Amino acid sequence: MDKRGDRRKRSKRDGRAKRAASETREGGRFARWMKRLFLWGGAIGALGLLFLAIAVIFAARSLPSFYQLKATQNAQTIVVRARDGTEIVELGPSYGKWLSSNEIPEVMKDAMIAVEDRRFYSHPGVDPYGLGRALYTAATDDRRVSATSTITQQLARNVFLNSNRTLDRKLREGVLALALEWKFSKQQILELYLNKVYFGGGAYGIDSASRKFFSHPGTDLSVAEAAIIAGLVKAPSRYSPTADVDAAVGRAGVVLRLMEEQGYITPAQASVDVSNVKLKEEPGQNSVRYFTDWALPQLDLLLPETFEPIEVWTTLDPGMQAAATAAIKANSPTGAQGALVSLDRDGAILALVGGTDYVETNYNRATSALRQPGSAWKLFVYLAALEAGYTPDDRVVDTPVTIGGWSPRNSSGRNIGETNLRTAFAYSINTVAAQLGNEVGFGTVASMARRFGITTPITTYPSMVLGSNETRLIDMTRAFAAISAGGNSVEPYGIVKVTTADGELLYRHEQRRAAQLIPDYVTAGITDLLQTGVQTGTGRAAQIGRPVAGKTGTTSSNKDGYFVGFSSGITTGVWMGRDDNRAVSGLQGGRAPAQAFAAYMRYAVKDRPVEEFVTELKLPEWQLEPDDEYLFGDPDDYYYIDEQGNLIEPGRGEGPVEQNPYPADPNAPPSQDGTTPRPPAPPPTRRVPPPPGSQDRAVDGAPQAVGDDFLDRALGRGGEPRSQPAPTPTPR
């Protein structure tokens, strides 16, 4: 028993000894691993720091100098000016005046540091404490790392990098931040940052932001204004005072609280009422943007590639633009949109409104929308008819008509029978327009529209005479402007010249030579019709107390309303309707569009002299009646033909001799001079100019007889000549 007990005791001692030895060996192994870990970790860390130091050194050496960074701008600034030289809008980035560190208000520096980087003066470009806290928050709350960028990192990102949220970009951002801190002082970094950071609305730097939002330089910022600007950096579009005043004021309150907590301002300063800050009214952010959206893309074609700031001098008249905007807003039916284009006699755009509110919808209905012009399209129908020989006084018949299975009807639902062309146009009689289009040819009408600048596709179905083809308002206005210009072509333009900020001329508009589109008598005729349409026809609502010529247009189911007209050299087109092409109750071209036209034109022409229209027809020779012909050249150069078509030879050497084939009446009482009266002379004979070379030269001052071959040609006869002897003059 004792031996067995001793063995058990020895066994226990041996087990404890083995376990102790094992624990000793494991403890030594752990210590060795920990030692190795520290050694390897330290080596790797030292190597990483070495690589980081090398990267920072190389980055610092490659950085531009402080003065080079001051001169760097990221994009082009475009200042748009009206025709009187006033600034109407500034587009692109605006950098304002560069403020040195001494010029920047101390309250502005404090506000920016308080809200963006409270340990700015103590970290080397990257804030280890802030980074560690962000990593811990992300690990415990399962969120992404955020709000870790210092002011120096933001400067590096804004100047050298983009805003991609990638690990590679963050690493490069950190290296560049350390390099910036290595190369520049804290004051230089803060100066660069405050002059380059984006504050929204195109404003880069505090001076630009101060001028944009508060109308004064950045050197005069108050505590409340500095808080508003500092609060913009986090989200410029969300906290911009011009976009959301309440959001800007709320964010500024957060900045003031942080400034108070960090000891930059007193509680009294922190309690300032930010809502009392006077904000600058934002000009040019509504209807004028319709014009700039149309005009400025043309710079790509007008200018060589340039990145320097430029000033664009335009044709826009600020007063007319405001009047046009007010006219469209006041007269557009509820739920409908409106557009207006106004051209000067040379094509300069004086006003352009593409909708009732640019902020709500920036779609430009004046230059982009394709809508049916309705009866305003009849301009081209009647132009083709007048060119084909019609006159405003010609008789036409308003009667039901069917053309190719299409039967137009008048808006009144009735027909008035025989009338004249002027009345048919003034009251926009559809059946007459259809007959005219069918007579001159629908292709001819389409060609006339093309001649006057319509660029959209045109179908030649019979219904096209009533404006079934879609077109743009600016093109229709251009066509009417050509009538106002005496039948000469007009090219709309909006840019007069482009200069650099220093005044160097980069581009100047050169007026193109106008082409005569129609003869003068056609211009006079269509002006007569257009003026009557306003005086007594469907466009009476467009009267403004001086001569106006124009045409209304209304599409089926009242989906579109048109009025285009001109007075005193200004041509204006107005369209109204819904974007979804649904009917608008009560919409007619002679109502809301004509009223908007009148409201605008009263202002537009107020400083211009009254101009009467030229409507007197001077018809071409081929269209004149015999008693209306004009005598061109020497009467001896013409051959005279009586009413039977027989040639009347002129007297030899005395020019044409008056011929009277009717004998004197012997029973007639004598005249006061004692001679026997004769019956009235026959109607004037038609003069036919001879073809070149057909008349023999005179011999001894007397013209030779005319050849028979000429008579055949002149009288349309063939074969042997059948001339009759000239009638014998009545004895005196």
mmCIF file of all heavy atoms in Angstrom, residues 109-131 133 147-155 177 181 186 189-190 193 230 233 251 255 258 262 264:
data_model
loop_
_atom_site.group_PDB
_atom_site.id
_atom_site.type_symbol
_atom_site.label_atom_id
_atom_site.label_comp_id
_atom_site.label_asym_id
_atom_site.label_seq_id
_atom_site.Cartn_x
_atom_site.Cartn_y
_atom_site.Cartn_z
ATOM 1 N N LYS A 109 -12.306 83.448 -40.799
ATOM 2 C CA LYS A 109 -11.385 82.339 -40.520
ATOM 3 C C LYS A 109 -11.901 81.489 -39.359
ATOM 4 O O LYS A 109 -11.900 80.253 -39.433
ATOM 5 C CB LYS A 109 -9.994 82.884 -40.179
ATOM 6 C CG LYS A 109 -9.323 83.670 -41.299
ATOM 7 C CD LYS A 109 -7.967 84.185 -40.830
ATOM 8 C CE LYS A 109 -7.281 85.039 -41.873
ATOM 9 N NZ LYS A 109 -5.970 85.570 -41.401
ATOM 10 N N ASP A 110 -12.329 82.167 -38.283
ATOM 11 C CA ASP A 110 -12.801 81.438 -37.107
ATOM 12 C C ASP A 110 -14.031 80.601 -37.438
ATOM 13 O O ASP A 110 -14.161 79.454 -36.982
ATOM 14 C CB ASP A 110 -13.122 82.426 -35.979
ATOM 15 C CG ASP A 110 -11.893 83.173 -35.489
ATOM 16 O OD1 ASP A 110 -10.768 82.672 -35.734
ATOM 17 O OD2 ASP A 110 -12.058 84.251 -34.883
ATOM 18 N N ALA A 111 -14.949 81.170 -38.200
ATOM 19 C CA ALA A 111 -16.169 80.432 -38.545
ATOM 20 C C ALA A 111 -15.835 79.185 -39.359
ATOM 21 O O ALA A 111 -16.396 78.097 -39.122
ATOM 22 C CB ALA A 111 -17.122 81.341 -39.320
ATOM 23 N N MET A 112 -14.925 79.313 -40.312
ATOM 24 C CA MET A 112 -14.589 78.163 -41.150
ATOM 25 C C MET A 112 -13.873 77.084 -40.345
ATOM 26 O O MET A 112 -14.149 75.882 -40.506
ATOM 27 C CB MET A 112 -13.709 78.622 -42.320
ATOM 28 C CG MET A 112 -13.573 77.583 -43.409
ATOM 29 S SD MET A 112 -15.151 77.181 -44.199
ATOM 30 C CE MET A 112 -15.507 78.698 -45.073
ATOM 31 N N ILE A 113 -12.957 77.472 -39.471
ATOM 32 C CA ILE A 113 -12.241 76.489 -38.661
ATOM 33 C C ILE A 113 -13.189 75.808 -37.678
ATOM 34 O O ILE A 113 -13.121 74.591 -37.465
ATOM 35 C CB ILE A 113 -11.075 77.180 -37.915
ATOM 36 C CG1 ILE A 113 -10.003 77.611 -38.930
ATOM 37 C CG2 ILE A 113 -10.475 76.253 -36.870
ATOM 38 C CD1 ILE A 113 -8.895 78.448 -38.315
ATOM 39 N N ALA A 114 -14.095 76.580 -37.096
ATOM 40 C CA ALA A 114 -15.013 76.014 -36.101
ATOM 41 C C ALA A 114 -15.896 74.934 -36.706
ATOM 42 O O ALA A 114 -16.161 73.904 -36.059
ATOM 43 C CB ALA A 114 -15.866 77.125 -35.494
ATOM 44 N N VAL A 115 -16.365 75.119 -37.928
ATOM 45 C CA VAL A 115 -17.323 74.184 -38.495
ATOM 46 C C VAL A 115 -16.655 73.083 -39.324
ATOM 47 O O VAL A 115 -17.198 71.985 -39.462
ATOM 48 C CB VAL A 115 -18.371 74.942 -39.346
ATOM 49 C CG1 VAL A 115 -17.756 75.456 -40.639
ATOM 50 C CG2 VAL A 115 -19.581 74.063 -39.632
ATOM 51 N N GLU A 116 -15.453 73.337 -39.859
ATOM 52 C CA GLU A 116 -14.840 72.370 -40.765
ATOM 53 C C GLU A 116 -13.626 71.645 -40.180
ATOM 54 O O GLU A 116 -13.347 70.512 -40.577
ATOM 55 C CB GLU A 116 -14.418 73.080 -42.069
ATOM 56 C CG GLU A 116 -15.573 73.546 -42.935
ATOM 57 C CD GLU A 116 -16.400 72.384 -43.461
ATOM 58 O OE1 GLU A 116 -15.812 71.346 -43.824
ATOM 59 O OE2 GLU A 116 -17.646 72.499 -43.506
ATOM 60 N N ASP A 117 -12.891 72.273 -39.251
ATOM 61 C CA ASP A 117 -11.640 71.636 -38.806
ATOM 62 C C ASP A 117 -11.166 72.303 -37.511
ATOM 63 O O ASP A 117 -10.265 73.144 -37.518
ATOM 64 C CB ASP A 117 -10.591 71.783 -39.910
ATOM 65 C CG ASP A 117 -9.329 70.989 -39.635
ATOM 66 O OD1 ASP A 117 -9.271 70.292 -38.601
ATOM 67 O OD2 ASP A 117 -8.402 71.056 -40.460
ATOM 68 N N ARG A 118 -11.748 71.889 -36.377
ATOM 69 C CA ARG A 118 -11.453 72.558 -35.118
ATOM 70 C C ARG A 118 -10.015 72.378 -34.663
ATOM 71 O O ARG A 118 -9.521 73.181 -33.863
ATOM 72 C CB ARG A 118 -12.404 72.079 -34.026
ATOM 73 C CG ARG A 118 -12.266 70.614 -33.654
ATOM 74 C CD ARG A 118 -13.130 70.270 -32.452
ATOM 75 N NE ARG A 118 -14.549 70.513 -32.748
ATOM 76 C CZ ARG A 118 -15.491 70.517 -31.811
ATOM 77 N NH1 ARG A 118 -15.172 70.310 -30.540
ATOM 78 N NH2 ARG A 118 -16.746 70.713 -32.143
ATOM 79 N N ARG A 119 -9.304 71.334 -35.103
ATOM 80 C CA ARG A 119 -7.900 71.134 -34.729
ATOM 81 C C ARG A 119 -6.954 71.534 -35.859
ATOM 82 O O ARG A 119 -5.861 70.994 -35.993
ATOM 83 C CB ARG A 119 -7.676 69.662 -34.360
ATOM 84 C CG ARG A 119 -8.153 69.329 -32.960
ATOM 85 C CD ARG A 119 -8.011 67.858 -32.642
ATOM 86 N NE ARG A 119 -8.982 67.068 -33.429
ATOM 87 C CZ ARG A 119 -10.243 66.873 -33.050
ATOM 88 N NH1 ARG A 119 -10.690 67.407 -31.912
ATOM 89 N NH2 ARG A 119 -11.071 66.171 -33.791
ATOM 90 N N PHE A 120 -7.380 72.496 -36.673
ATOM 91 C CA PHE A 120 -6.594 72.891 -37.844
ATOM 92 C C PHE A 120 -5.171 73.294 -37.475
ATOM 93 O O PHE A 120 -4.201 72.924 -38.152
ATOM 94 C CB PHE A 120 -7.316 74.045 -38.562
ATOM 95 C CG PHE A 120 -6.510 74.676 -39.661
ATOM 96 C CD1 PHE A 120 -6.308 74.024 -40.876
ATOM 97 C CD2 PHE A 120 -5.947 75.944 -39.494
ATOM 98 C CE1 PHE A 120 -5.567 74.607 -41.896
ATOM 99 C CE2 PHE A 120 -5.204 76.538 -40.507
ATOM 100 C CZ PHE A 120 -5.018 75.868 -41.713
ATOM 101 N N TYR A 121 -5.026 74.056 -36.405
ATOM 102 C CA TYR A 121 -3.697 74.570 -36.060
ATOM 103 C C TYR A 121 -2.806 73.535 -35.378
ATOM 104 O O TYR A 121 -1.618 73.798 -35.150
ATOM 105 C CB TYR A 121 -3.833 75.805 -35.161
ATOM 106 C CG TYR A 121 -4.368 77.022 -35.894
ATOM 107 C CD1 TYR A 121 -5.648 77.496 -35.639
ATOM 108 C CD2 TYR A 121 -3.590 77.685 -36.836
ATOM 109 C CE1 TYR A 121 -6.149 78.610 -36.298
ATOM 110 C CE2 TYR A 121 -4.080 78.797 -37.497
ATOM 111 C CZ TYR A 121 -5.358 79.252 -37.236
ATOM 112 O OH TYR A 121 -5.843 80.357 -37.898
ATOM 113 N N SER A 122 -3.324 72.355 -35.025
ATOM 114 C CA SER A 122 -2.520 71.376 -34.278
ATOM 115 C C SER A 122 -2.178 70.119 -35.076
ATOM 116 O O SER A 122 -1.236 69.405 -34.711
ATOM 117 C CB SER A 122 -3.247 70.972 -32.990
ATOM 118 O OG SER A 122 -4.517 70.388 -33.304
ATOM 119 N N HIS A 123 -2.887 69.783 -36.149
ATOM 120 C CA HIS A 123 -2.602 68.546 -36.893
ATOM 121 C C HIS A 123 -1.646 68.829 -38.062
ATOM 122 O O HIS A 123 -1.510 69.974 -38.507
ATOM 123 C CB HIS A 123 -3.885 67.893 -37.384
ATOM 124 C CG HIS A 123 -4.677 68.722 -38.365
ATOM 125 N ND1 HIS A 123 -4.227 69.050 -39.619
ATOM 126 C CD2 HIS A 123 -5.912 69.283 -38.258
ATOM 127 C CE1 HIS A 123 -5.128 69.766 -40.257
ATOM 128 N NE2 HIS A 123 -6.162 69.932 -39.432
ATOM 129 N N PRO A 124 -1.002 67.791 -38.594
ATOM 130 C CA PRO A 124 -0.043 67.979 -39.700
ATOM 131 C C PRO A 124 -0.668 67.905 -41.090
ATOM 132 O O PRO A 124 0.046 67.650 -42.066
ATOM 133 C CB PRO A 124 0.918 66.800 -39.489
ATOM 134 C CG PRO A 124 0.064 65.729 -38.935
ATOM 135 C CD PRO A 124 -0.941 66.410 -38.054
ATOM 136 N N GLY A 125 -1.934 68.099 -41.177
ATOM 137 C CA GLY A 125 -2.608 67.973 -42.469
ATOM 138 C C GLY A 125 -3.669 66.899 -42.442
ATOM 139 O O GLY A 125 -4.694 66.990 -43.123
ATOM 140 N N VAL A 126 -3.435 65.837 -41.670
ATOM 141 C CA VAL A 126 -4.406 64.768 -41.433
ATOM 142 C C VAL A 126 -4.609 64.698 -39.925
ATOM 143 O O VAL A 126 -3.641 64.643 -39.167
ATOM 144 C CB VAL A 126 -3.917 63.423 -41.983
ATOM 145 C CG1 VAL A 126 -4.902 62.317 -41.642
ATOM 146 C CG2 VAL A 126 -3.707 63.514 -43.490
ATOM 147 N N ASP A 127 -5.842 64.683 -39.489
ATOM 148 C CA ASP A 127 -6.158 64.707 -38.067
ATOM 149 C C ASP A 127 -6.257 63.276 -37.544
ATOM 150 O O ASP A 127 -7.270 62.599 -37.778
ATOM 151 C CB ASP A 127 -7.472 65.453 -37.860
ATOM 152 C CG ASP A 127 -7.807 65.627 -36.377
ATOM 153 O OD1 ASP A 127 -6.980 65.231 -35.531
ATOM 154 O OD2 ASP A 127 -8.899 66.167 -36.093
ATOM 155 N N PRO A 128 -5.232 62.750 -36.833
ATOM 156 C CA PRO A 128 -5.281 61.364 -36.348
ATOM 157 C C PRO A 128 -6.442 61.123 -35.386
ATOM 158 O O PRO A 128 -7.098 60.078 -35.454
ATOM 159 C CB PRO A 128 -3.936 61.198 -35.639
ATOM 160 C CG PRO A 128 -3.058 62.270 -36.203
ATOM 161 C CD PRO A 128 -3.962 63.406 -36.495
ATOM 162 N N TYR A 129 -6.698 62.084 -34.511
ATOM 163 C CA TYR A 129 -7.786 61.905 -33.558
ATOM 164 C C TYR A 129 -9.124 61.833 -34.291
ATOM 165 O O TYR A 129 -9.957 60.964 -34.023
ATOM 166 C CB TYR A 129 -7.779 63.063 -32.544
ATOM 167 C CG TYR A 129 -8.909 62.998 -31.559
ATOM 168 C CD1 TYR A 129 -8.825 62.173 -30.439
ATOM 169 C CD2 TYR A 129 -10.071 63.765 -31.747
ATOM 170 C CE1 TYR A 129 -9.870 62.106 -29.532
ATOM 171 C CE2 TYR A 129 -11.115 63.705 -30.845
ATOM 172 C CZ TYR A 129 -11.003 62.875 -29.736
ATOM 173 O OH TYR A 129 -12.047 62.816 -28.844
ATOM 174 N N GLY A 130 -9.348 62.757 -35.185
ATOM 175 C CA GLY A 130 -10.601 62.752 -35.937
ATOM 176 C C GLY A 130 -10.744 61.502 -36.786
ATOM 177 O O GLY A 130 -11.846 60.937 -36.895
ATOM 178 N N LEU A 131 -9.642 61.021 -37.369
ATOM 179 C CA LEU A 131 -9.697 59.811 -38.188
ATOM 180 C C LEU A 131 -10.001 58.593 -37.323
ATOM 181 O O LEU A 131 -10.824 57.734 -37.691
ATOM 182 C CB LEU A 131 -8.367 59.625 -38.924
ATOM 183 C CG LEU A 131 -8.254 58.402 -39.818
ATOM 184 C CD1 LEU A 131 -9.303 58.430 -40.920
ATOM 185 C CD2 LEU A 131 -6.851 58.313 -40.425
ATOM 186 N N ARG A 133 -11.575 58.520 -34.423
ATOM 187 C CA ARG A 133 -12.952 58.582 -33.959
ATOM 188 C C ARG A 133 -13.922 58.183 -35.066
ATOM 189 O O ARG A 133 -14.907 57.468 -34.831
ATOM 190 C CB ARG A 133 -13.261 60.002 -33.483
ATOM 191 C CG ARG A 133 -14.644 60.152 -32.861
ATOM 192 C CD ARG A 133 -14.919 61.586 -32.456
ATOM 193 N NE ARG A 133 -14.879 62.467 -33.629
ATOM 194 C CZ ARG A 133 -15.054 63.781 -33.556
ATOM 195 N NH1 ARG A 133 -15.252 64.352 -32.375
ATOM 196 N NH2 ARG A 133 -15.003 64.512 -34.642
ATOM 197 N N ALA A 147 -16.827 62.520 -42.683
ATOM 198 C CA ALA A 147 -16.436 63.723 -41.944
ATOM 199 C C ALA A 147 -15.028 63.619 -41.399
ATOM 200 O O ALA A 147 -14.748 63.989 -40.274
ATOM 201 C CB ALA A 147 -17.436 64.012 -40.817
ATOM 202 N N THR A 148 -14.115 63.098 -42.239
ATOM 203 C CA THR A 148 -12.735 62.945 -41.783
ATOM 204 C C THR A 148 -11.797 63.919 -42.453
ATOM 205 O O THR A 148 -10.618 63.935 -42.132
ATOM 206 C CB THR A 148 -12.244 61.515 -42.078
ATOM 207 O OG1 THR A 148 -12.271 61.292 -43.498
ATOM 208 C CG2 THR A 148 -13.126 60.496 -41.391
ATOM 209 N N SER A 149 -12.258 64.723 -43.408
ATOM 210 C CA SER A 149 -11.382 65.606 -44.176
ATOM 211 C C SER A 149 -11.113 66.884 -43.407
ATOM 212 O O SER A 149 -12.037 67.572 -42.966
ATOM 213 C CB SER A 149 -12.005 65.944 -45.532
ATOM 214 O OG SER A 149 -12.082 64.793 -46.351
ATOM 215 N N THR A 150 -9.847 67.215 -43.290
ATOM 216 C CA THR A 150 -9.448 68.486 -42.707
ATOM 217 C C THR A 150 -9.521 69.574 -43.785
ATOM 218 O O THR A 150 -9.759 69.297 -44.963
ATOM 219 C CB THR A 150 -8.017 68.399 -42.171
ATOM 220 O OG1 THR A 150 -7.124 68.153 -43.277
ATOM 221 C CG2 THR A 150 -7.880 67.268 -41.161
ATOM 222 N N ILE A 151 -9.312 70.813 -43.378
ATOM 223 C CA ILE A 151 -9.280 71.909 -44.351
ATOM 224 C C ILE A 151 -8.180 71.669 -45.370
ATOM 225 O O ILE A 151 -8.357 71.915 -46.577
ATOM 226 C CB ILE A 151 -9.099 73.250 -43.619
ATOM 227 C CG1 ILE A 151 -10.412 73.665 -42.943
ATOM 228 C CG2 ILE A 151 -8.609 74.334 -44.556
ATOM 229 C CD1 ILE A 151 -10.342 74.957 -42.159
ATOM 230 N N THR A 152 -7.038 71.177 -44.911
ATOM 231 C CA THR A 152 -5.931 70.915 -45.832
ATOM 232 C C THR A 152 -6.294 69.812 -46.819
ATOM 233 O O THR A 152 -5.967 69.891 -48.009
ATOM 234 C CB THR A 152 -4.671 70.529 -45.037
ATOM 235 O OG1 THR A 152 -4.479 71.438 -43.955
ATOM 236 C CG2 THR A 152 -3.446 70.555 -45.929
ATOM 237 N N GLN A 153 -6.955 68.772 -46.356
ATOM 238 C CA GLN A 153 -7.387 67.705 -47.258
ATOM 239 C C GLN A 153 -8.418 68.218 -48.268
ATOM 240 O O GLN A 153 -8.393 67.843 -49.443
ATOM 241 C CB GLN A 153 -7.977 66.547 -46.443
ATOM 242 C CG GLN A 153 -6.945 65.715 -45.691
ATOM 243 C CD GLN A 153 -7.601 64.647 -44.840
ATOM 244 O OE1 GLN A 153 -7.979 64.903 -43.706
ATOM 245 N NE2 GLN A 153 -7.740 63.454 -45.397
ATOM 246 N N GLN A 154 -9.335 69.052 -47.821
ATOM 247 C CA GLN A 154 -10.318 69.619 -48.743
ATOM 248 C C GLN A 154 -9.638 70.473 -49.806
ATOM 249 O O GLN A 154 -10.016 70.444 -50.988
ATOM 250 C CB GLN A 154 -11.337 70.463 -47.971
ATOM 251 C CG GLN A 154 -12.229 69.661 -47.042
ATOM 252 C CD GLN A 154 -13.221 70.543 -46.308
ATOM 253 O OE1 GLN A 154 -13.857 71.399 -46.913
ATOM 254 N NE2 GLN A 154 -13.345 70.342 -45.003
ATOM 255 N N LEU A 155 -8.632 71.233 -49.410
ATOM 256 C CA LEU A 155 -7.884 72.035 -50.375
ATOM 257 C C LEU A 155 -7.192 71.137 -51.396
ATOM 258 O O LEU A 155 -7.232 71.408 -52.602
ATOM 259 C CB LEU A 155 -6.862 72.912 -49.647
ATOM 260 C CG LEU A 155 -5.938 73.748 -50.543
ATOM 261 C CD1 LEU A 155 -6.745 74.770 -51.332
ATOM 262 C CD2 LEU A 155 -4.862 74.455 -49.700
ATOM 263 N N ALA A 177 -2.192 66.325 -48.624
ATOM 264 C CA ALA A 177 -2.418 67.197 -47.473
ATOM 265 C C ALA A 177 -1.151 67.333 -46.638
ATOM 266 O O ALA A 177 -0.788 68.440 -46.204
ATOM 267 C CB ALA A 177 -3.562 66.654 -46.622
ATOM 268 N N GLU A 181 1.081 70.767 -46.024
ATOM 269 C CA GLU A 181 1.505 71.232 -44.707
ATOM 270 C C GLU A 181 3.028 71.333 -44.616
ATOM 271 O O GLU A 181 3.567 72.181 -43.890
ATOM 272 C CB GLU A 181 0.970 70.280 -43.627
ATOM 273 C CG GLU A 181 -0.549 70.282 -43.468
ATOM 274 C CD GLU A 181 -1.037 71.381 -42.548
ATOM 275 O OE1 GLU A 181 -0.195 72.090 -41.972
ATOM 276 O OE2 GLU A 181 -2.274 71.523 -42.398
ATOM 277 N N LYS A 186 0.367 77.455 -42.167
ATOM 278 C CA LYS A 186 -1.058 77.343 -41.887
ATOM 279 C C LYS A 186 -1.821 78.536 -42.471
ATOM 280 O O LYS A 186 -2.923 78.380 -43.008
ATOM 281 C CB LYS A 186 -1.301 77.249 -40.383
ATOM 282 C CG LYS A 186 -0.832 75.963 -39.740
ATOM 283 C CD LYS A 186 -1.775 74.818 -40.091
ATOM 284 C CE LYS A 186 -1.400 73.549 -39.317
ATOM 285 N NZ LYS A 186 -2.320 72.432 -39.639
ATOM 286 N N ILE A 189 -2.185 78.091 -46.231
ATOM 287 C CA ILE A 189 -3.178 77.060 -46.551
ATOM 288 C C ILE A 189 -4.589 77.602 -46.361
ATOM 289 O O ILE A 189 -5.472 77.402 -47.203
ATOM 290 C CB ILE A 189 -2.943 75.815 -45.681
ATOM 291 C CG1 ILE A 189 -1.648 75.121 -46.110
ATOM 292 C CG2 ILE A 189 -4.126 74.848 -45.775
ATOM 293 C CD1 ILE A 189 -1.228 73.985 -45.203
ATOM 294 N N LEU A 190 -4.824 78.338 -45.267
ATOM 295 C CA LEU A 190 -6.141 78.896 -45.018
ATOM 296 C C LEU A 190 -6.494 79.967 -46.060
ATOM 297 O O LEU A 190 -7.650 80.065 -46.505
ATOM 298 C CB LEU A 190 -6.183 79.493 -43.609
ATOM 299 C CG LEU A 190 -7.570 79.817 -43.043
ATOM 300 C CD1 LEU A 190 -8.456 78.579 -43.040
ATOM 301 C CD2 LEU A 190 -7.438 80.395 -41.637
ATOM 302 N N TYR A 193 -7.437 78.137 -49.245
ATOM 303 C CA TYR A 193 -8.727 77.471 -49.071
ATOM 304 C C TYR A 193 -9.882 78.466 -49.170
ATOM 305 O O TYR A 193 -10.857 78.247 -49.901
ATOM 306 C CB TYR A 193 -8.748 76.763 -47.717
ATOM 307 C CG TYR A 193 -10.045 76.047 -47.411
ATOM 308 C CD1 TYR A 193 -10.339 74.814 -47.973
ATOM 309 C CD2 TYR A 193 -10.976 76.618 -46.553
ATOM 310 C CE1 TYR A 193 -11.527 74.154 -47.689
ATOM 311 C CE2 TYR A 193 -12.174 75.968 -46.261
ATOM 312 C CZ TYR A 193 -12.443 74.739 -46.831
ATOM 313 O OH TYR A 193 -13.612 74.098 -46.555
ATOM 314 N N ALA A 230 -19.727 80.175 -44.153
ATOM 315 C CA ALA A 230 -19.046 78.981 -43.646
ATOM 316 C C ALA A 230 -19.964 77.767 -43.680
ATOM 317 O O ALA A 230 -19.509 76.640 -43.910
ATOM 318 C CB ALA A 230 -18.542 79.232 -42.224
ATOM 319 N N VAL A 233 -20.250 75.301 -47.179
ATOM 320 C CA VAL A 233 -19.258 74.362 -47.704
ATOM 321 C C VAL A 233 -19.766 72.924 -47.659
ATOM 322 O O VAL A 233 -19.517 72.133 -48.573
ATOM 323 C CB VAL A 233 -17.936 74.502 -46.918
ATOM 324 C CG1 VAL A 233 -16.913 73.478 -47.396
ATOM 325 C CG2 VAL A 233 -17.390 75.909 -47.078
ATOM 326 N N ARG A 251 -28.540 76.483 -40.947
ATOM 327 C CA ARG A 251 -27.136 76.030 -40.954
ATOM 328 C C ARG A 251 -26.231 77.083 -40.320
ATOM 329 O O ARG A 251 -25.287 76.746 -39.585
ATOM 330 C CB ARG A 251 -26.713 75.761 -42.394
ATOM 331 C CG ARG A 251 -25.255 75.348 -42.571
ATOM 332 C CD ARG A 251 -24.946 74.043 -41.902
ATOM 333 N NE ARG A 251 -23.562 73.657 -42.149
ATOM 334 C CZ ARG A 251 -22.935 72.659 -41.520
ATOM 335 N NH1 ARG A 251 -23.575 71.953 -40.594
ATOM 336 N NH2 ARG A 251 -21.685 72.365 -41.808
ATOM 337 N N VAL A 255 -23.331 76.959 -37.088
ATOM 338 C CA VAL A 255 -21.971 77.513 -37.118
ATOM 339 C C VAL A 255 -21.754 78.455 -35.940
ATOM 340 O O VAL A 255 -20.702 78.407 -35.271
ATOM 341 C CB VAL A 255 -21.725 78.237 -38.457
ATOM 342 C CG1 VAL A 255 -20.352 78.897 -38.454
ATOM 343 C CG2 VAL A 255 -21.843 77.268 -39.621
ATOM 344 N N LEU A 258 -21.182 76.459 -32.704
ATOM 345 C CA LEU A 258 -19.840 75.880 -32.639
ATOM 346 C C LEU A 258 -18.787 76.936 -32.348
ATOM 347 O O LEU A 258 -17.820 76.685 -31.613
ATOM 348 C CB LEU A 258 -19.521 75.165 -33.960
ATOM 349 C CG LEU A 258 -20.332 73.898 -34.246
ATOM 350 C CD1 LEU A 258 -20.045 73.391 -35.656
ATOM 351 C CD2 LEU A 258 -19.994 72.815 -33.214
ATOM 352 N N GLN A 262 -16.313 76.897 -29.007
ATOM 353 C CA GLN A 262 -14.856 76.871 -29.140
ATOM 354 C C GLN A 262 -14.213 78.195 -28.753
ATOM 355 O O GLN A 262 -12.998 78.354 -28.881
ATOM 356 C CB GLN A 262 -14.478 76.501 -30.578
ATOM 357 C CG GLN A 262 -14.969 75.104 -30.975
ATOM 358 C CD GLN A 262 -14.763 74.797 -32.453
ATOM 359 O OE1 GLN A 262 -13.776 75.223 -33.034
ATOM 360 N NE2 GLN A 262 -15.697 74.054 -33.053
ATOM 361 N N TYR A 264 -14.640 81.328 -29.957
ATOM 362 C CA TYR A 264 -14.328 82.350 -30.961
ATOM 363 C C TYR A 264 -15.216 83.580 -30.826
ATOM 364 O O TYR A 264 -14.827 84.677 -31.221
ATOM 365 C CB TYR A 264 -14.473 81.775 -32.377
ATOM 366 C CG TYR A 264 -13.412 80.752 -32.726
ATOM 367 C CD1 TYR A 264 -13.748 79.426 -32.952
ATOM 368 C CD2 TYR A 264 -12.078 81.125 -32.840
ATOM 369 C CE1 TYR A 264 -12.790 78.488 -33.283
ATOM 370 C CE2 TYR A 264 -11.101 80.192 -33.163
ATOM 371 C CZ TYR A 264 -11.467 78.874 -33.386
ATOM 372 O OH TYR A 264 -10.505 77.956 -33.698
#
